[in-house]
Amino acid sequence: MREERTEMSKDDDRSPPLDLRGADIAESSSKTRNCVTGSGHVTGLNPTEFQAPYPDQVLENVLENVLQFLTSRRDRNAASLVCKSWCRVEALTRSELFIGNCYSVSPKRATARFSRVRAVAIKGRPRFADFNLMPPEWGAHFAPWVAALGSAYPWLEKVYLKRMSVTDEDLKYLAENFPSFKELVLVCCDGFGTRGLAVIAKKCRQLRVLDLIESEVAESDMDWIGEFPESGITCLESLIFDCVESPINFEALERLVIRSPSLKKLRLNRFVSIGQLYRLMVRAPQLTHLGTGSFSLAEGVAHGDQEPDYESAFAACKSLVCLSGFREITPDYLSAIYAVCANLTSLNLSYANINAEQLKTVIVHCHKLQTFWVLDSICDEGLQAAAATCKDLRELRVFPIDAREDSEGPVSEVGLQAISEGCRKLQSILYFCQHMTNAAVIAMSNNCPDLEVFRLCIMGRHRPDHVTGEPMDEGFGAIVKNCKKLTRLAVSGLLTDQAFSYIGRYGKLVRTLSVAFAGNSDLGLKYVLEGCPRLQKLEIRDSPFGDAALRSGLHHYYNMRFLWMSSCRLSPPGCREIARALPRLVVEVIRDEVGMIRAECEEHIDDAFDILYMYRSLEGPRDDAPSFVTILH
């Protein structure tokens, strides 16, 4: 019951509604004024007729003023657990609603409890969907949510969606039913296209933010940029469309930038050339965040022709602190950004196929850098250069240019150790490689004790320490033991149950754990489920965990947001046992293409699944599950 109140408890009726209480108090005050004699005595009233505000009412009035300044979701959730009165007032003062799983609660229940919301954030599919591990059309539709929001929050201003299926009709509904709508952010979403964007651009006259981040946008002949109003100054502050894989109307974009003096963030797609980028930068020197587009010449323009002074355009952007893009990069143009490097706090080169020597010419100027994303094409030598310069680095992500398991990875333990020695303030790292050593990981745990996120992805399966041949147990053990602030961990490589024993013993703050091709028995998962009290999200693929391991978490699943297991050793009876033991947990088994074929045969219908996805829900099983999803009872 305690958890249920945290998620979506209803108001109780211990006190009257706020709008009625004011009338009651005013009426009592009026009676008092009418019955005061010259001697100051109150006449004509029974002692019970005048009622002072009871303590809960006074407390709620005070709380309402105080909680308006409480912005942290966790703090607000904690406040709502104090008592029913606090729960009610917290709901009345909450202006931002966050739904971590779109199926954990119904739109109707959410909007009934929180009645004054102006900003909504909703997450849909689990993260492993990003790696094509979930069949298309699984669900996470925005349609039921946008319909509920329309009737409950006509004053809605902001919508943030992640891994949701959004249609053009959904976007049209947003544009037509929320007259004060200002911000739309779609991260890793799909189902919509440029026609829907055109409606948003045309009808949302107060639009400040339109961010499309790693989303799949369907192409059409619609000129969505040209649909922004052509007259007057716009409110636009952020426009991100680097994921849109279709050409845009550049002339309309240039006019839009000119009419947007408040524009601070602009990220362009690969169809914008460096010459066009120059024209935009000259028009918008106030930019703080810039995604450069292709960073190469447009087709038909010969290299060496009279070109603009790109370096002066960058130099004029005095406020630029975040730089990304560089798709289809021509390395010769990298010198243009030297002028802004000294002021950069974030640099994203994760689409730029450059080598170590080319990186060195840039990174040597980036002394203030705090966030750095890059391809492993820079090799260990490039990471060593970054470590020598970027002493204030807080986040590093190194992505593979070739993600095949049998590829020769250009980064290794050498680069990781260099980063750990040079960037002692590091808080978050994502590192793809083919080979690693325990010594390098242990060194990172000692040199970077403030790590909160450690994601080491050794792409080859079951790879040991390539120097000693030992499992990677001691390296990951050192991370959870020495990094006391660790909340997110991804493990890979050759790992035995000993590594999971370390995680269960020391990972008391770990909230998200990702496991791939690791472990050697059910005992490993048992260590984690019994030893990590704050675990919220657990993702496991291709690991030897079975029914016994699954049962070991019965005490904890109600406290988790979700558990994902694919290609493990689970059986339908074992999954069904969990569903029966925990009725408020939704247990989905998902069949892949092979499983669908086997399910057509009656004798195999019960064992034809590849994925288990479990999540807590106040609503029970969803009603939009596709045919390849079976919800167990």
Side-chain angles (χ1 to χ4, degrees), residues 546-564:
D547 294 343
L550 190 63
R551 285 193 296 270
S552 67
L554 277 170
H555 67 289
H556 188 61
Y557 291 141
Y558 275 154
N559 298 323
M560 294 176 61
R561 186 181 298 176
F562 70 80
L563 167 66
W564 168 285

Side-chain angles (χ1 to χ4, degrees), residues 26 42 72 77 96 135 147 226 311 333 382 448 491 496 506 591 615 620:
V42 179
S72 166
N77 290 342
E96 298 183 358
E311 186 172 348
Y333 291 122
C448 305
V491 300
T496 71
Y506 299 111
R591 296 184 292 273
Y615 53 90

Side-chain angles (χ1 to χ4, degrees), residues 58 99 146 177 208 227 247 306 357 395 485:
V58 176
I99 305 295
V146 73
N177 290 275
R208 295 188 308 212
E227 291 298 318
Q306 185 65 36
E357 292 303 319
E395 178 185 348
K485 301 177 183 178

